[in-house]
Amino acid sequence: MGIEWLKPGVFFGSLLYALLGVLVFWVCFVVIDKLTPYRLWDEIVEKQNVALAIVVGAMCIAIGLIVAAAVGG
């Protein structure tokens, strides 16, 4: 493998895909937050709803896997 990943094209391509993945993940989270009848962040942080935090964590892992598979090919 060597230092192929240090080439500017490879490095900035990886950085671009990482930022694209984070952007897609954030948009998906906002859409799901808007679809629920309450605000997820307020429910988890202020009301300390542990069950909802577990569900949202699982959802975040699932969306992250989907985005990673889509970006990685």
Side-chain angles (χ1 to χ4, degrees):
M1 179 162 155
I3 57 171
E4 292 274 328
W5 61 276
L6 281 176
K7 291 183 179 177
V10 175
F11 180 76
F12 289 115
S14 298
L15 187 63
L16 178 68
Y17 278 122
L19 292 174
L20 180 66
V22 169
L23 179 70
V24 169
F25 177 80
W26 180 75
V27 168
C28 289
F29 184 81
V30 168
V31 167
I32 291 173
D33 190 21
K34 297 294 182 189
L35 290 175
T36 56
Y38 41 80
R39 295 199 56 222
L40 293 177
W41 189 255
D42 292 341
E43 190 73 22
I44 292 171
V45 174
E46 292 176 7
K47 296 183 182 178
Q48 297 184 354
N49 189 339
V50 177
L52 181 63
I54 292 171
V55 170
V56 169
M59 176 199 66
C60 290
I61 291 171
I63 292 172
L65 287 171
I66 293 168
V67 169
V71 169

